[in-house]
Amino acid sequence: MGTRPLRVGNASGFYGDRFSAVREMLTDGPLDVLTGDYLAELTMLILGRDRLKDHRLGYARTFLAQMEECLGVALERGVAIVTNAGGLNPAGLADELRALADRLGLHARVAHVEGGELRHRAAELGLGTPVAANAYLGAFGIAECLRAGADIVVTGRVTDASLAVGPAIAHHGWGRGDLDPLAGATVAGHIIECGAQATGGNYPFFTELQDDGRDLTRPGFPLAEIHADGSSVITKHDGTGGAVTTGTVTAQLVYEIAGARYPGPDVTARLDTVRLAQEGPDRVRVSGVKGEEPPPDAKVIANTMTGYANDVPLVVTGLDTEAKARLAEHQIRAALAGSGPADLRFELGERPVIDAFTQQAAGTPLIVRGRDPDPRAVGRTFTAAVIGTVLSGYPGCYAAAPPGDARPDGLAIEAASIPAADVPHTAVLPDGTRTPIDPAPRTRTLLPVATPALPSPPQRGRFRRVPIGTLFGARSGDKGGDANVGIWARADDAWRWLATELTVERLGGLLPETAALPVTRHLLPNLRAVNFVVEGLLGGGAASGHRPDAQAKGLAEWLRGRYIDVPEVLLP
């Protein structure tokens, strides 16, 4: 146990993040622990497909390559590594790491955390026949491994924040009843879990950072100095790119959340109690976080293959756009009669510019999209039928890309819950000892936080019509088939206007795709933020192909680009 703050860095926000970040984080400055988050809902499907091909797989293989390059550096510097790269096979990855250390002539104490695998109970839970079904585990298994002297801890599906919370538990000696410290560390873990999104990546006011001379070519990855009371300072290594400001931290705080209560297996963090302060250059203090007992049920996500898909992108140019598209659909449906995919769609894009100056501006995409449980129904026969109409179809018909073969349609995401006491959670220590981890002894049913009193907006005066992004930052993301968009103000007057004016109904008018869907609005006054959860916007989730922006990454920027009338007194 230690009283000094624990310095936890993160080097991966997803499976496919910057490969060199592990070495950069280990060599660019001091660290106690380096974490790596490789798992998303889509990743679990990818790993599930890997495991179906070879039962020895099911983990993020990129991490092994990074360790081949950097394990010696981590051991030399005394930096513990905690990662969820184990995916669906943490024991398998742990074995591979031991074999790697032997080949490199290194002595590495490797531990892993297992449990939460529920595919064998999918039918009981009403989840069909998924390729993966996992409950989210917490941080105490990670802590047990570190207390036993592990140099590397490999986990499967734990909550993203647990990668930082576990080391803080081990370092500071927290127990189950230390709810405020656990909540504070959870918030710190949430801030750094997505890598450079906390240091200027995906930041709506990036041009301001550039105007201040900040180099965004390769933003440094974030780290959290976590104190014994759960407060933290979010920062990055000196001399690295990007920036850490209250703005970049707020942007990550409102990313992929729901309401003011942020639940996890060990604690529910109250996001409405978070306070941010710019402590110095690239240093933001996070304090005041209150914690409550976690909910009694564990979250379960099942990932199911829904079939196969294929797209053929045609282009309609010039006049008679709709008539040309109708002819194409008529001909292609006739060509595929009796052999086509179960789901065949024709998606016509935005209409072309009138009297266009360039051919590209005169064109409209027409996507011929097929989906079917059988890959043969959307394979070469499908694309041949579409391409076979080109010379006999509408004038000017051409394909914008060569035809491809069937691809996995990806992911349907089903969410369920199970009593936390029924979820196995085991820490497998470096010496092979298996230590069961008990669930939280006390729980609290998760309920929405009462809506705080709305602030009085600025006095009405002259208005000006401007893009929302002139005043407000926003960030959006996915939670299964739902989307969230958090929008925040940078000044109190603008926050008072935002909280009163941007209602669910107003959002539906600005983003018509959301108007017919269930939308819940949450206020976070300490962050001057409003968060919207839009249910069902993403259909079956990240890989379902329900909409082009399948993870709702651009939803916030669409909102920021819409024009509204705002009081001139609020404008800079």
Side-chain angles (χ1 to χ4, degrees), residues 153-173:
V153 181
V154 175
T155 79
R157 178 75 279 184
V158 298
T159 66
D160 298 342
S162 290
L163 299 175
V165 179
I169 291 170
H171 180 74
H172 292 300

Side-chain angles (χ1 to χ4, degrees), residues 342-373:
D343 183 6
L344 179 62
R345 301 184 186 186
F346 295 78
E347 300 176 2
L348 187 63
E350 294 291 332
R351 303 306 182 264
V353 174
I354 296 175
D355 194 18
F357 190 69
T358 66
Q359 181 177 333
Q360 184 176 3
T364 301
L366 174 62
I367 309 299
V368 185
R369 180 162 288 150
R371 286 186 174 79
D372 199 277

Side-chain angles (χ1 to χ4, degrees), residues 40 43 57 101 186 210 237 255 278 302 327 412 415 452 481 503 551 562:
T43 312
L57 299 178
T186 296
Q210 291 175 318
H237 286 321
Y255 176 67
Q278 193 78 43
L327 176 59
T503 61
Q551 292 179 289
R562 295 305 311 270

Side-chain angles (χ1 to χ4, degrees), residues 372-393:
D372 199 277
D374 186 347
R376 294 171 296 184
V378 289
R380 295 294 180 180
T381 303
F382 166 71
T383 57
V386 177
I387 296 301
T389 67
V390 167
L391 296 185
S392 58

Side-chain angles (χ1 to χ4, degrees), residues 4-12 20-36 67 70 73-82 151 164 167 171 192 220-226 233-238 240:
R4 67 173 180 83
L6 182 72
R7 200 168 168 90
V8 181
N10 180 41
S12 177
S20 62
V22 171
R23 174 169 288 279
E24 293 164 11
M25 289 299 288
L26 288 171
T27 59
D28 286 349
L31 280 181
D32 298 310
V33 180
L34 181 62
T35 67
M67 287 298 96
C70 298
V73 179
L75 294 172
E76 178 184 345
R77 293 179 174 240
V79 178
I81 294 175
V82 179
D151 300 307
H171 180 74
I192 69 172
F221 275 60
L223 59 94
E225 298 169 354
I226 303 176
V233 172
I234 307 301
T235 183
K236 62 185 184 67
H237 286 321
D238 292 341
T240 58

